[in-house]
Amino acid sequence: MPVVEGSDLVQLQRRQQQVRNICILAHVDHGKTTLADSLVASNGIISQRMAGKLRYLDNRQDEQERGITMKSSSISLYYQETQQVDGEPDFLINLIDSPGHVDFSSEVSTAVRLCDGAIVVVDVVEGVGPQTRACLKQIYEEQLKPVLVLNKLDRLILEKQLDPLDAYFHLMQILEQVNAVLGSIFASDVLAREDITKKDNYESALEEVDDSELYFTPASGNVVFCSAYDGWAFSVKDFAAMYAKRLEIKSQDLEQVLWGDFYYNSKKKEALPGAQEKAKKPMFVQFVLENIWSLYDIIAIRKDKDKLPGIAEKLGLKLAARDLRLTDPKLQIKAVLGQWLPIDKCVLHMVVQHVPPPHKISEERAQRLLYPANVELSSLPEETLKLKESFTSCDSSSSNVIAFVSKMTPVHVSQLPQNRPKRLTDQELQHRRDEVRRRIEERKQQTEQSELEKISQGVEKLSTQVEEEKKAEETKPDGEPNEYVFIAFARVFSGTLKRGMELFNLSPKHDPRQPAHRKEGEAPYASRVTIGDLYMFMGGELQLLDEVPAGNIVGIGGLESHIVKTATLSSSLDCTSFSELSIMATPILRVAIEPVQPQDMPKLVKGLKLLNQADACVQVSVAPTGEHVITTLGEVHVEKCVHDLEQSYAKIKVNVSKPIVSFRETIVPAATVDMVNEAIVKTAEDKDISKKIATHQTLNKLGTLKVIAVPLPAEAVELLEKHGEFFKELAALPRNQVLSEKWTTLLASIKLKLVAALQDLQLFGLSSLSPEELVSRVWALGPRNCGTNILLNLSDYEQPDFWSGPSKSSDTDIRSATDPRKDFNSSLVNGFQLTSGAGPLCEEPMQGVCFAMLEWSIQPDSEDLNARGPFSGQVLTAAKEVCRQAFQNQPQRLVTPMYSCSIVVNAEMLGKMYAVIGRRHGKILSGDLTQGSGNFAVTCLLPVIESFNFAQEMRKQTSGLACPQLMFSHWEVIDIDPFWLPTTEEELMHFGEKADSANRAKLYMDSVRRRKGLFVDEQVVEHAEKQRTLSKNK
């Protein structure tokens, strides 16, 4: 293998036509890092024999131990095209290997943003996994060009023992699965953008769009079949070139018929369709798969070594004597097939042909990156719109320098190229030897002297030792911060980045539409940064660079104090801040962290700051209780974060709390059946709705509030949850700011959908208003003005218009002499916000509750309103209490977050796996047999609170044969009243007087209350009985 010099790669960086930026994406354990190893071996960085075993890009110790990738790492590779190409044959491939485990999916987002194309790897035995779907969705959203690698073909031969024809049909199904996922993503996106306002148009938007270039087809050359571990791969094109002469068919024509329902007619010497119908062998089986199967049969199954030289001669391979002496059949396959169908040439050729170079970035992608989605292009200044030209042309000579930092990578100081130990010359070695000899002599003399002076200077020595220790302690903290430096993982989109250059760091709030934001020195959300050293990523190593032209991936030093996670760097303040990374999974698992030794607290705080910067998806916060809380994606992610804190960033022992799970509180319609499915007979008293209405007076008895709480329909909750971020931004807008046209139309569409959703709102005859009028009477959303709870005004008070935005709802406009209640509008709304933010069950936020204000009256002019403290405070307290009371008058329920869990397991372990899920109150959604294998793909739902140590227990019970992947799915109501006790005869008979089968909702509620230090209603000894001894005392 040729060893590539770094200087050659630097030369190639300037030639954009020759640069390709790609990432490898796949489900966990589908072979991404093994494939990356084979590509790295093509540059002579590692030996071809070690590819697949070494996992070169997994350079963390825990990655090697666990056998999974935990971070995205980049390497620059040189590739020389052997086939005839237009232009130069040399290419620079910037390759990023990314994790497949769902806990590290944020690392995938950071990789995808910097690339122009992606290699999607699919294991042909396991098929399309949940993470494969997520990766394809991300590729579609970021508008990358994907190519497909079908990996682990050797498993079909050796493990599944399929014959070539069965394998061909199996491969067809896998390819159809991948294309079906792509098709559904594409269709849902097109339908989401469809204009439904046109009344006369009954045609679907899918009729007009072109999806011809969307799918993977072997004939078009964007599919490769391979076994990364055995080091071979082929595309249809490779075999078409081999057989063109023998079959007397043109290579281009053969490419089109080699995959598909075609068979070869040897008499007519042409390919004809209808192989399946006429019971003929498809050409792909006859000319491609049978050759590979026969090679495996001879080498790996029959182990016939004598035939190897003959095979090598026929294929035109040169096998060394060492290769012929090999005893391991796997190594023999690697030697023969790796030489005949080299994986690196095949995959990299496909990448070069199908992935666009950086200067051919599509208009849509440039627009998506540069301009925020909710901003109209016409409202942006001209200078900002002009930036798009230098962005799409990716011009390295442009004066506009634009770069995007997708994450900060921690690098140990010793790994930096400037700190790496240099080779010593012969003279320096000799000098060091002499120095060592001299020191040994000195030490001998010192020991002789110290024996004489030991007694007299004993006391002095003690005191100097203490001083030295103190000095060492003082100097230690200063030396510690420099152990890790952060290198920005970035891509240059325009201009040339040079060392020492000064650029603006634009934060997400930077908006060039505001004139103040474009003035240097006045811009509030932009700061000047100086570019430090520039590095080329070479796996675990770095290489120093002087400058980096547009279109390349680069490491930037010296920015750690300015950038936390992501940033946009630009030479001009007219540039917008890049759109945020689309994260595939939401962090939900929270744990509190504290040091074992309390005096180590400052070290922990410093370590958490470093962790927050180093990990793209961890969220570090301080809880109101003063705990340091980290929010992560799952258990493996927590373990990685704690390991990093203890070993690298804080270097102290830490205690990790049990995971903190967020719940939500809600109310449900009254039940019609009891816990043993017996119908509940309601009396007239039960039907009396007035009992559900809560009434509360202010402290001075001059204000009265009447409220009823009713559950919101599921569609309304879903709608408010979906647009939560929009309402959050709306609430944060400054007063009197006119909404943009985009926001006004979005607000109007939300209003229309809410009208449709509130058709099913049950108000028990307390209001005769239509859904349109109800929506216009929405007073506020809560908690924090953006939640899924509504405060509805059914009283005679005229509330400020919620739908007109903040411009008309300022306090000054509301106040008027006619209605004294308008002065206390904000107090009442804040009371509602407090209640919806912390419900009565366990002070968790509420979800899907509509508080209808039936009456709000103030007795004016009778007395001084502020007689018992400020009246605004009294209104706030009363509003808070009345909403709490109204909530408690209805059937209360807890809402728990649910994980969607996908497990691949074989038939023998199915029962044990179901038992583990059953013990943890999981629900099985599907359990289908994967075609072509004896494995079942099981999908289930599992409450987050029940998921701790789930993976360990699952592996233990199934002898390591089932490995679950957990991903946050949705919130679900636990359909048990937390305060339920058996009352009817049937319930008492079924559950017993003590209701021994513990109430799950009460257990969850008590655990949260205990954690928060709230009162928990529990007795240490319940139903105690005196012990009776039957034997008499003698």
Side-chain angles (χ1 to χ4, degrees), residues 298-315:
I298 292 163
I299 301 169
I301 298 167
R302 284 191 275 154
K303 299 185 174 63
D304 197 344
K305 281 179 79 173
D306 304 336
K307 288 188 179 174
L308 268 182
I311 291 169
E313 199 179 321
K314 277 180 189 171
L315 294 174

Side-chain angles (χ1 to χ4, degrees), residues 21-237:
N21 298 314
I22 53 159
C23 52
I24 305 181
L25 308 178
H27 189 71
V28 68
D29 285 336
H30 277 206
K32 293 178 297 299
T33 309
T34 309
L35 175 64
D37 263 12
S38 304
L39 303 182
V40 169
S42 69
N43 275 215
I45 296 168
I46 61 172
S47 111
Q48 195 79 48
R49 213 174 260 198
M50 291 304 291
K53 295 175 187 169
L54 193 64
R55 302 206 313 280
Y56 180 71
L57 292 177
D58 287 356
N59 43 32
R60 283 173 60 104
Q61 190 185 341
D62 47 357
E63 284 182 315
Q64 289 287 349
E65 285 168 4
R66 284 178 186 269
I68 58 169
T69 308
M70 292 184 174
K71 54 154 190 11
S72 46
S73 39
S74 175
I75 190 162
S76 297
L77 301 174
Y78 168 81
Y79 167 63
Q80 189 168 28
E81 185 75 277
T82 49
Q83 296 170 23
Q84 192 60 41
V85 284
D86 304 330
E88 299 172 39
D90 302 339
F91 289 92
L92 168 71
I93 312 277
N94 292 318
L95 178 81
I96 304 178
D97 181 29
S98 64
H101 198 287
V102 68
D103 282 13
F104 307 106
S105 52
S106 60
E107 290 281 337
V108 178
S109 308
T110 62
V112 166
R113 172 57 60 91
L114 304 185
C115 295
D116 300 309
I119 300 174
V120 180
V121 184
V122 175
D123 179 343
V124 291
V125 174
E126 289 185 13
V128 177
Q131 223 33 37
T132 317
R133 283 191 182 86
C135 290
L136 287 167
K137 192 169 193 303
Q138 187 124 23
I139 289 167
Y140 183 80
E141 281 175 5
E142 290 278 349
Q143 290 165 343
L144 267 62
K145 182 77 175 124
V147 290
L148 181 67
V149 170
L150 294 173
N151 191 17
K152 305 195 185 182
L153 252 72
D154 57 307
R155 287 183 69 188
L156 295 180
I157 308 169
L158 302 174
E159 196 178 304
K160 297 294 164 204
Q161 295 180 344
L162 299 180
D163 59 27
L165 190 64
D166 290 344
Y168 166 69
F169 288 125
H170 181 73
L171 288 171
M172 278 192 84
Q173 283 172 342
I174 298 285
L175 192 59
E176 275 170 21
Q177 277 178 19
V178 178
N179 283 333
V181 172
L182 266 181
S184 67
I185 293 167
F186 174 72
S188 59
D189 177 56
V190 170
L191 293 171
R193 285 185 292 167
E194 187 177 5
D195 188 5
I196 51 172
T197 52
K198 292 178 185 170
K199 298 277 186 258
D200 306 328
N201 184 14
Y202 293 104
E203 274 192 15
S204 167
L206 289 168
E207 304 281 331
E208 299 164 17
V209 290
D210 175 33
D211 62 348
S212 56
E213 290 188 10
L214 180 72
Y215 302 110
F216 297 113
T217 54
S220 62
N222 59 3
V223 179
V224 155
F225 304 89
C226 84
S227 166
Y229 193 78
D230 287 348
W232 58 267
F234 65 88
S235 64
V236 169
K237 195 174 184 179

Side-chain angles (χ1 to χ4, degrees), residues 20 115 497-498 521 537 597 846:
R20 299 288 184 275
C115 295
L497 203 60
K498 295 176 183 170
F537 288 106
Q597 303 292 336
M846 290 183 187

Side-chain angles (χ1 to χ4, degrees), residues 537-823:
F537 288 106
M538 294 300 288
E541 295 178 8
L542 297 165
Q543 187 178 323
L544 270 171
L545 300 169
D546 293 323
E547 58 177 50
V548 179
N552 286 287
I553 290 169
V554 61
I556 310 171
L559 298 179
E560 55 201 67
S561 54
H562 301 282
I563 300 173
V564 179
K565 289 185 180 182
T566 62
T568 308
L569 301 176
S570 170
S571 55
S572 152
L573 282 171
D574 296 322
C575 183
T576 52
S577 179
F578 273 38
S579 56
E580 285 187 14
L581 296 176
S582 54
I583 300 293
M584 293 150 77
T586 43
I588 192 166
L589 190 64
R590 297 185 297 158
V591 291
I593 286 188
E594 60 177 24
V596 174
Q597 303 292 336
Q599 65 265 32
D600 289 336
M601 199 65 189
K603 288 183 183 174
L604 177 69
V605 173
K606 196 184 93 189
L608 285 170
K609 277 182 186 167
L610 293 174
L611 177 71
N612 188 37
Q613 202 167 6
D615 198 314
C617 205
V618 76
Q619 293 173 3
V620 178
S621 56
V622 178
T625 51
E627 296 172 301
H628 288 275
V629 175
I630 61 170
T631 311
T632 59
L633 279 166
E635 282 188 87
V636 184
H637 195 188
V638 169
E639 285 169 28
K640 179 197 172 223
C641 291
V642 171
H643 178 269
D644 283 356
L645 270 178
E646 291 191 338
Q647 302 298 322
S648 307
Y649 304 139
K651 292 199 170 174
I652 55 167
K653 285 278 172 216
V654 295
N655 287 334
V656 183
S657 74
K658 280 185 178 176
I660 303 163
V661 177
S662 306
F663 283 91
R664 289 185 187 172
E665 301 177 21
T666 192
I667 53 175
V668 292
T672 53
V673 290
D674 62 13
M675 292 293 279
V676 285
N677 285 340
E678 295 278 333
I680 296 171
V681 181
K682 290 188 178 177
T683 59
E685 199 177 328
D686 292 337
K687 290 178 184 174
D688 185 9
I689 197 64
S690 60
K691 289 199 167 183
K692 305 284 186 191
I693 298 171
T695 309
H696 203 85
Q697 287 186 315
T698 54
L699 199 59
N700 57 13
K701 304 284 187 286
L702 297 179
T704 310
L705 294 163
K706 273 189 187 176
V707 172
I708 186 168
V710 289
L712 273 177
E715 298 85 41
V717 177
E718 208 174 296
L719 181 72
L720 294 173
E721 186 126 37
K722 185 182 170 187
H723 296 287
E725 281 299 314
F726 167 70
F727 284 118
K728 198 175 186 177
E729 286 178 34
L730 197 66
L733 276 181
R735 282 177 185 162
N736 302 323
Q737 184 176 326
V738 181
L739 294 182
S740 70
E741 200 176 316
K742 248 185 187 174
W743 277 29
T744 315
T745 50
L746 181 58
L747 203 57
S749 74
I750 293 171
K751 196 174 175 180
L752 277 172
K753 287 175 187 169
L754 196 58
V755 169
L758 291 187
Q759 299 280 359
D760 306 331
L761 185 68
Q762 181 67 43
L763 282 168
F764 306 107
L766 294 167
S767 167
S768 56
L769 297 174
S770 66
E772 288 84 4
E773 289 172 306
L774 285 176
V775 170
S776 66
R777 281 177 168 268
V778 170
W779 200 336
L781 298 181
R784 294 188 293 279
N785 298 311
C786 60
T788 55
N789 306 290
I790 291 179
L791 179 62
L792 203 59
N793 178 22
L794 299 181
S795 65
D796 56 354
Y797 169 68
E798 194 182 318
Q799 95 283 358
D801 186 9
F802 173 77
W803 299 103
S804 64
S807 53
K808 292 179 188 169
S809 62
S810 61
D811 279 354
T812 49
D813 294 347
I814 292 165
R815 285 177 187 163
S816 70
T818 53
D819 196 341
R821 293 177 291 185
K822 291 199 173 182
D823 293 344

Side-chain angles (χ1 to χ4, degrees), residues 850-862:
C850 173
F851 291 101
M853 181 71 65
L854 302 173
E855 184 191 325
W856 181 23
S857 59
I858 295 176
Q859 295 172 20
D861 308 328
S862 54

